[in-house]
């Protein structure tokens, strides 16, 4: 019976544009859904499927309408002419909406502009004032038992959809942005607290509702904003801190750094293998790895495990975006926006390239919930020419194309969502399925050559810094000429370091001898385990201070907290001497 259900489920495609909203069947028919009554309003500002796909909602400049996707009958109509944005809770129980905040002579303070309704009945549950359109959506736990809302830098936490009064508050932290963990309880809140001029910004992780002491905390000196992504199980999150302007002038995109935070309290910086901006970050739906696209063009793409160790290099190319299919076994890398629209489709399990295709002028891309098809679209207002959408098979075959008339605009295209488990994980094949030819002419794939170079043998590479896909182990066992050269340099450096140790110039830890207190080289023995624990802790702190002193001597500008650490050296040495007596 379950297999029959899987075989019969076909995701539909909702289309929004200047001529209204319509719903089409997905592959293989693509026909209009006769059960859905088309909305011809020319000001449909938003549409959305619920996360489980049982509801479809849209705002048409007069009302918010909610229909059942089983029968396509209208469940509720909520009068709301000013609504710009809508959002569902994880189980689809609640529908949230936002409209611009306004004041008037009759109401100089303004009124609520963010609302929470029951999805099936339209019953109003709560209303709030949220002036900015950014981060307006209240965040829910997967089981909808907790809802958080950040207003005026305070995080209000509501329990059991009881919005009369917050059950808990995270206040006094001046939180600019917050992200609630996915997965099961206990839930965690990841918060960004920007620093004042000359002071660091903070990332703080709290376990709900224990807001007295953070589970983890990390400082950033170079960050104007952050983006946060939780893995599906809610065990860890990635945080990208960004500076809008790179003061060194080396990057138009500003400067970014990537951090991993675990609910156990561990933090680790993600070390990238190439200089340049971070274009995209994405967790695998399986939660076992994540992908990062980074570096000056041609950009690198690398898969990392949960220890932030690189496990596979997907090579370099013209790409700036990442899309995992819902099952996590297929990964799509795309180069859109100011790039030419190249698409690579990868088998994540075998680490092999499945197909390559081109989809120029793509402004949005979505995977079908079946994990086999994806849709690309050219939409307004980003691009007003050549609007339309296409449906592809992951092997690279174009299956369907719908261009728009020049007088009309396409604004958005969405697949219907489905609960996990409805579709089987697709068995991957590299054999292309039968498709159609695109109506648009394909651009020439040949690189331009000046007249003086035509008809002659090419003896140069277009991109000297391109690399090929490889696993970390393969790179180690089959090193390139460049890798062998680096290996020789490392071995020479290691030999020079060993000679310096033998000459007494540095210690075995690489710290110059003058910076290391002599008491650290003394072996202190004791039968008291607590005393031994304190000794190890003090030695660890002193070693860290030694390293900081070395960095300062080499001209590095230390942070405020590092300078404060160095001031405690005499006190720590005194404590260690007392324990050694």
């Amino acid at each position: 019976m379950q297999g029959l259900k899987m075989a019969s489920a076909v995701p539909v495609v909702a289309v929004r544009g200047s001529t209204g909203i319509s719903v089409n069947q997905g592959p293989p028919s693509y026909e209009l859904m006769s059960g859905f009554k088309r909305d011809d309003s020319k000001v449909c500002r938003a549409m959305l499927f619920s996360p489980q796909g049982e509801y479809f909602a849209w705002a048409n400049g007069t009302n918010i309408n909610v229909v059942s996707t089983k029968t396509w009958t209208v469940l509720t109509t909520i009068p709301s002419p000013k609504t710009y944005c809508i959002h569902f809770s994880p189980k689809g129980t609640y529908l949230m909406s936002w409209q611009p905040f306004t004041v008037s002579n009759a109401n100089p303070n303004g009124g609520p502009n963010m609302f929470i309704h029951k999805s099936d009945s339209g019953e109003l549950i709560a209303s709030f004032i949220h002036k900015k359109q950014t981060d307006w959506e209240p965040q829910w736990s997967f089981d909808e038992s907790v809802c958080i809302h950040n207003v005026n830098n305070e995080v209000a936490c509501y329990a059991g959809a009881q919005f009369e009064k917050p059950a808990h508050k995270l206040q006094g932290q001046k939180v600019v942005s917050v992200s609630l963990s996915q997965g099961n309880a206990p839930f965690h809140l990841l918060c960004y607290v920007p620093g004042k001029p000359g002071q660091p910004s903070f990332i703080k992780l709290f376990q709900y509702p224990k807001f007295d002491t953070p589970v983890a905390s990390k400082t950033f000196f170079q960050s104007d904003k952050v983006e946060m992504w939780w893995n599906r199980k809610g065990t860890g999150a990635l945080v990208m801190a960004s500076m809008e302007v790179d003061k060194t002038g080396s990057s138009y995109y500003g400067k970014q750094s990537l951090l991993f935070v675990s609910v156990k309290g561990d933090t680790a910086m993600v070390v990238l293998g190439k200089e340049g901006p971070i274009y995209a970050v994405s967790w695998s739906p399986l939660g076992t790895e994540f992908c990062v696209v980074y570096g000056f063009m041609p950009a690198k793409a690398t898969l990392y495990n949960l220890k932030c160790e690189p496990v596979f290099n997907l090579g370099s190319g013209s790409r700036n975006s990442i899309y995992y299919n819902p099952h996590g076994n297929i990964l799509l890398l795309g180069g859109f926006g100011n790039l030419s629209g190249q698409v690579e489709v990868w088998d994540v399990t075998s680490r092999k390239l499945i197909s390559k295709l081109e989809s120029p002028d793509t402004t949005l891309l979505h995977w079908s919930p079946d994990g086999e098809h994806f849709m690309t679209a050219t939409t307004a207002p980003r691009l007003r020419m050549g609007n339309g959408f296409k449906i592809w098979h992951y092997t690279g075959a174009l299956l369907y194309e719908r261009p728009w008339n020049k007088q009309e605009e396409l604004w958005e295209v969405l697949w219907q969502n489905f609960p996990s488990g409805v579709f089987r994980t697709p068995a991957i094949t590299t054999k292309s399925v039968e498709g159609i030819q695109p109506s648009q002419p394909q651009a020439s794939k040949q690189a331009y050559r000046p007249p003086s170079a035509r008809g002659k043998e090419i003896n140069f590479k277009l991109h000297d810094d391109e690399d090929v896909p490889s696993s970390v182990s393969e790179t180690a066992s089959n090193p390139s000429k460049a890798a062998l050269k680096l290996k020789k340099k490392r071995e020479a450096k290691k030999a020079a370091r060993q000679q310096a140790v033998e000459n007494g110039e540095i210690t075995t830890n690489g710290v110059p001898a003058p910076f290391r207190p002599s008491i650290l080289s003394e072996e202190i023995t004791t039968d008291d385990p607590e005393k031994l624990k304190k000794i190890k802790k003090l030695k660890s702190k002193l070693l860290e201070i030694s390293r900081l002193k070395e960095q300062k001597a080499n001209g590095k500008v230390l942070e405020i907290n590092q300078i404060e650490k160095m001031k405690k050296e005499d006190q720590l040495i005194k404590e260690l001497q007392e324990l050694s007596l």
Side-chain angles (χ1 to χ4, degrees), residues 11-15 22-26 49 389 391 413-416:
V12 300
V13 179
V15 181
S22 61
V23 177
N24 292 64
Q25 295 179 7
F49 286 100
F389 71 92
I391 294 178
V413 189
L414 286 177
W415 290 99
Q416 179 187 2

Side-chain angles (χ1 to χ4, degrees), residues 517-535:
S518 59
I519 194 169
L520 287 178
S521 59
E522 296 176 10
E523 186 177 351
I524 304 172
T525 57
T526 176
D527 295 329
D528 186 347
E530 287 298 320
K531 191 175 181 180
L532 188 61
K533 189 176 179 181
K534 289 179 182 178
I535 290 170

Side-chain angles (χ1 to χ4, degrees), residues 94-209:
Y94 305 100
L95 176 65
M96 296 155 281
S97 61
W98 181 91
Q99 60 189 40
F101 178 78
T102 58
V103 296
S104 63
N105 292 332
N107 188 7
N109 295 322
N113 65 319
M114 192 273 283
F115 306 92
I116 302 177
H117 293 85
K118 277 284 193 71
S119 300
D120 56 357
S121 66
E123 177 190 353
L124 180 63
I125 301 298
S127 58
F128 302 90
I129 291 178
H130 192 101
K131 296 181 180 180
K132 295 182 179 180
Q133 187 174 353
T134 54
D135 298 327
W136 70 268
E137 308 96 324
Q139 298 180 50
W140 298 76
S141 59
F142 265 19
D143 61 3
E144 297 185 348
S145 64
V146 175
C147 178
I148 68 168
H149 185 218
N150 186 21
V151 181
N152 299 325
N153 304 135
E154 289 188 354
V155 184
C157 305
Y158 301 93
Q162 301 298 315
F163 293 99
E164 293 81 11
K165 183 181 178 182
H168 305 279
K169 272 190 176 183
L170 176 56
Q171 50 192 355
Q173 298 285 339
K174 295 186 178 180
V175 176
V176 167
S177 56
V178 60
S179 181
L180 178 63
S181 66
Q182 303 183 39
N184 301 320
F187 308 117
H188 290 79
L189 273 68
L190 194 57
C191 305
Y192 170 59
V193 181
K196 296 177 181 178
Q199 294 182 357
S201 301
F202 286 90
I203 282 290
K204 294 185 179 182
L205 178 68
F206 296 92
Q207 181 180 321
Y208 173 85

Side-chain angles (χ1 to χ4, degrees), residues 285-541:
L286 302 176
T288 55
E289 64 185 19
F290 60 91
C291 182
V292 186
V293 173
Y294 60 94
F296 297 114
M297 290 292 169
K300 288 190 71 171
T302 304
L303 298 176
Y304 292 84
N305 61 19
L306 294 179
K307 295 180 181 179
C308 299
E309 299 168 338
V311 292
F312 190 77
N313 170 29
L314 293 153
S316 61
S318 179
R319 73 275 283 249
N320 57 9
S321 50
I322 306 165
Y323 304 89
Y324 279 96
N325 78 339
H327 304 92
N329 68 327
I330 301 177
L331 171 65
L332 187 152
L333 299 175
F336 306 124
N338 59 343
L339 301 179
S340 60
Q342 294 181 13
V343 175
E344 301 171 18
V345 185
W346 287 82
D347 180 343
V348 176
T349 306
S350 66
R351 315 292 201 207
K352 291 182 179 179
L353 183 67
I354 301 172
S355 62
K356 281 188 176 183
L357 57 102
E358 290 187 7
S359 184
D361 298 332
T362 293
T363 57
L364 63 84
L365 186 152
H366 296 300
W367 276 99
S368 166
D370 65 13
E372 293 191 45
H373 303 88
F374 62 91
M375 169 263 297
T376 61
T378 302
T379 58
R382 179 70 182 271
L383 290 173
R384 299 189 185 276
M385 300 294 292
N387 281 191
F389 71 92
K390 301 173 183 177
I391 294 178
W392 307 77
H393 190 262
Y394 70 84
T395 54
L398 176 62
L399 303 180
Y400 177 74
E401 182 181 34
R402 184 182 169 187
W404 247 241
N405 296 327
K406 292 182 179 179
Q407 296 80 12
E408 301 171 358
E409 291 184 351
L410 173 64
W411 298 336
E412 188 179 15
V413 189
L414 286 177
W415 290 99
Q416 179 187 2
N417 298 315
F418 277 82
S420 60
V422 171
F423 296 96
R424 294 189 183 95
T425 302
I428 297 175
T429 176
T430 55
K431 185 179 179 181
S432 181
V433 301
E434 186 177 352
I436 62 173
Q437 290 296 318
S439 61
Q440 295 175 334
Q442 294 292 306
S444 173
K445 296 182 180 180
Q446 292 185 349
Y448 171 78
R449 301 185 69 192
S452 60
R454 292 170 188 171
K456 297 181 181 179
E457 184 181 352
I458 300 173
N459 57 6
F460 65 90
K461 284 180 67 177
L462 184 61
H463 297 295
D464 290 334
D465 54 350
E466 283 187 349
D467 58 357
V468 296
S470 60
S471 68
V472 174
S473 58
E474 285 174 356
T475 305
S477 58
N478 300 297
S480 62
K481 290 182 179 179
L484 288 169
K485 190 175 180 181
L486 285 172
K487 185 180 178 183
K488 287 182 179 180
K489 284 185 178 180
R490 286 196 297 268
E491 288 175 349
K493 190 176 180 181
K494 186 178 179 181
R497 179 178 173 180
Q498 183 62 34
Q499 186 63 46
V501 170
E502 292 174 2
N503 295 340
E505 297 170 4
I506 63 171
T507 67
T508 55
N509 289 326
V511 181
F515 293 135
R516 186 173 181 182
S518 59
I519 194 169
L520 287 178
S521 59
E522 296 176 10
E523 186 177 351
I524 304 172
T525 57
T526 176
D527 295 329
D528 186 347
E530 287 298 320
K531 191 175 181 180
L532 188 61
K533 189 176 179 181
K534 289 179 182 178
I535 290 170
K536 287 182 178 179
K537 193 172 182 180
L538 288 168
K539 282 192 171 187
S540 177
K541 289 181 178 180

Side-chain angles (χ1 to χ4, degrees), residues 529-573:
E530 287 298 320
K531 191 175 181 180
L532 188 61
K533 189 176 179 181
K534 289 179 182 178
I535 290 170
K536 287 182 178 179
K537 193 172 182 180
L538 288 168
K539 282 192 171 187
S540 177
K541 289 181 178 180
L542 285 167
L543 279 172
E544 177 64 22
I545 290 171
S546 298
R547 295 188 188 101
L548 291 174
K549 292 172 77 173
E550 178 193 9
Q551 292 171 6
K552 185 179 179 181
N554 290 333
K556 181 178 179 181
V557 179
L558 300 182
E559 297 178 2
I560 296 172
N561 60 335
Q562 293 175 322
I563 295 171
E564 292 299 320
K565 272 185 184 179
M566 290 170 57
K567 291 178 181 179
K568 297 178 181 178
E569 183 181 31
D570 292 340
Q571 179 187 341
L572 295 173
I573 291 174

